[in-house]
Amino acid sequence: MSSNEKEGGAVSAQNRGSWSAFLKSIASFSGDLSSLTAPPFILSSTSLVEFSSYWAEHPSLFVAPAAEQDPEKRMLLVLKWFLSTLKQQYAARSDKFGNEKKPLNPFLGELFLGKWVDEAGTTELVSEQVSHHPPVTAYQIANKEHGVYLQGYNAQKASFSRTINVKQIGHAVFSIPAYDETYLITLPNLHIEGLIFGAPFVELNDKTYITSSSGYTAKIDYSGKGWLSGKKNSFTATLYPTGKETDILYTATGQWNKTFDICEGSKKHNIIDTYDADAVPTTKLIVAPIEQQDPLESRRAWQKVAEGIAVGDMDIVGVEKTKIEESQRELRRQEKTDGRSWERRYFSLVENDVVLEKLAPAIGLLPEEDKTGGVWRFDERKAAGQATTTSSAPAPTSTEKKLELK
Ligand SMILES: CC(C)CCC[C@@H](C)[C@H]1CC[C@H]2[C@@H]3[C@@H](O)C=C4C[C@@H](O)CC[C@]4(C)[C@H]3CC[C@]12C
């Protein structure tokens, strides 16, 4: 743990000045989160491209739907897995360090590759920054033994109104080809709580949906502590046949970062399952040693910046970040001169996506392609030409070598 990370909780006397200057600066903030300048002590050395891994830190829950024969119960298992990911996605860092941190902004083409190996077999992750303006991350998570796949992409738009509000644009697609089944998942909007106390954490807003090609939909309503009542990170999810919202088959309710109950029907006393986030251990993602990583892999590319953050040396951080930014600018200049654009390694833009065409209308999802550069999908053809394992990255091209910072 870095000196920076040990500080968690309320702002120390030493950091109070920079924190109040930050609070003043964000009052007029709106746009890409990448343009938000946070004080050094709130900087994380983890790039946003790594966040895709939060979808599968419980591989057994991820693959569980594949073993269920009944489509209704399968949908319930997909909902349970989704709910279990929320703690990892939105509370893991504030739980660990006492406060949320500002992640590193990935550069175009940045990769995060890894795998989980446990009782669920091998679950592989490919995450790639597919756009820089606007920043968009795409990912695929695959467990081939169980035949379970997740892919998606996301961008964030931030605005300030009493606090930092973040709108998520994008979606995820969970699929089990053996059942010819696809689930379209929308992403929660969020806001930052605790800013005033210097101990920021995430609270989710509004609602999200999961809708399946087998004819079921789950609606997840998020609520927080509020001024007068309620508990932090609360939600109520209902599962129903698509289009029949009042025919509730199952209800899940509780706190996504702690415990929740799954009940049959709409009555909250018919409990059939209880999930305790603290009782279900996560599996550690295996990432190749830095020296064996491709130059575009996140931890290798950001290594020196991360070292600077760890020791609180903002001069090193500045110098090393500038090197990355400069080499990125040079790549863009070169592409412009050559009349070509950056070739994404694993993902491609698609038109007329069949999953969206079929499932998005049921939940009113608008893909907002202008905000993500289009609809991004995992490209099997491209991936076949790449090594997605964590140890044998393909040799970098000459353009990519320019990124290798000495
Ligand atoms: C703490 C504050 C001062 C700086 C702002 C940090 C802000 C940019 C961070 C904080 C939380 C981040 C969310 C994170 O909780 C989880 C996810 C889910 C993941 O799948 C995609 C990224 C996203 C939305 C992060 C974006 C950056 C956030 C809002």
Side-chain angles (χ1 to χ4, degrees), residues 83-92 95 256-258 277-278:
L83 294 170
S84 77
T85 68
L86 296 176
K87 175 179 165 158
Q88 315 308 126
Q89 303 257 26
Y90 303 104
D95 280 0
W256 48 260
N257 65 327
K258 292 202 164 97
D278 291 330

Side-chain angles (χ1 to χ4, degrees), residues 107-393:
F107 54 84
L108 180 59
E110 187 175 326
L111 298 170
F112 187 59
L113 310 175
K115 62 184 176 190
W116 297 268
V117 180
D118 64 4
E119 63 282 1
T122 300
T123 308
E124 288 181 283
L125 165 76
V126 171
S127 180
E128 177 172 8
Q129 191 69 11
V130 290
S131 169
H132 188 60
H133 290 301
V136 183
T137 310
Y139 51 88
Q140 149 144 309
I141 296 173
N143 184 304
K144 292 181 184 144
E145 283 140 272
H146 291 266
V148 179
Y149 300 81
L150 177 80
Q151 63 165 304
Y153 61 93
N154 53 61
Q156 298 87 36
K157 278 276 167 263
S159 60
F160 188 88
S161 166
R162 287 198 297 189
T163 186
I164 300 171
N165 299 291
V166 179
K167 179 179 174 199
Q168 288 206 73
I169 305 145
H171 56 267
V173 178
F174 181 98
S175 54
I176 314 178
Y179 299 114
D180 195 16
E181 215 163 69
T182 310
Y183 298 75
L184 178 62
I185 302 171
T186 63
L187 311 171
N189 296 331
L190 57 97
H191 68 272
I192 307 287
E193 294 262 352
L195 268 184
I196 198 83
F197 308 111
F201 67 92
V202 168
E203 187 63 87
L204 302 181
N205 300 346
D206 317 321
K207 54 179 182 264
T208 63
Y209 291 94
I210 306 175
T211 192
S212 76
S213 58
S214 53
Y216 298 96
T217 296
K219 180 173 91 162
I220 304 115
D221 272 299
Y222 303 96
S223 60
K225 199 162 163 8
W227 285 105
L228 296 171
S229 61
K231 281 185 182 164
K232 193 175 158 182
N233 306 150
S234 297
F235 75 93
T236 297
T238 51
L239 193 161
Y240 49 87
T242 303
K244 296 182 181 162
E245 205 174 327
T246 49
D247 291 358
I248 297 172
L249 301 168
Y250 299 98
T251 304
T253 185
Q255 285 172 285
W256 48 260
N257 65 327
K258 292 202 164 97
T259 60
F260 58 83
D261 294 328
I262 298 178
C263 314
E264 216 159 15
S266 58
K267 297 276 181 304
K268 294 187 181 144
H269 50 255
N270 288 336
I271 300 174
I272 53 166
D273 193 7
T274 294
Y275 180 78
D276 180 353
D278 291 330
V280 185
T282 55
T283 300
K284 203 170 160 23
L285 183 77
I286 302 168
V287 177
I290 285 196
E291 60 289 357
Q292 285 172 30
Q293 287 181 16
D294 185 280
L296 295 182
E297 280 186 72
S298 187
R299 291 188 189 171
R300 175 158 171 184
W302 290 104
Q303 185 178 16
K304 291 182 179 159
V305 172
E307 284 166 7
I309 291 175
V311 296
D313 187 332
M314 289 306 124
D315 292 336
I316 296 184
V317 173
V319 168
E320 296 300 331
K321 264 191 177 173
T322 306
K323 283 190 196 167
I324 293 179
E325 284 157 11
E326 264 309 312
S327 68
Q328 282 291 304
R329 275 195 277 273
E330 176 52 28
L331 285 175
R332 301 294 86 80
R333 271 194 292 269
Q334 199 57 57
E335 285 158 14
K336 207 171 168 193
T337 313
D338 302 348
R340 56 181 173 83
S341 53
W342 176 261
E343 184 66 26
R344 279 73 175 170
R345 279 221 196 152
Y346 296 95
F347 297 86
S348 292
L349 287 169
V350 296
E351 277 171 25
N352 311 322
D353 178 72
V354 281
V355 176
L356 286 176
E357 264 168 31
K358 199 171 166 210
L359 298 177
I363 50 173
L365 172 68
L366 297 171
E368 298 192 83
E369 293 175 36
D370 53 322
K371 299 195 175 97
T372 57
V375 173
W376 294 95
R377 290 287 180 250
F378 187 71
D379 190 328
E380 296 288 353
R381 189 188 47 85
K382 282 184 177 176
Q386 304 287 340
T388 57
T389 65
T390 52
S391 58
S392 50

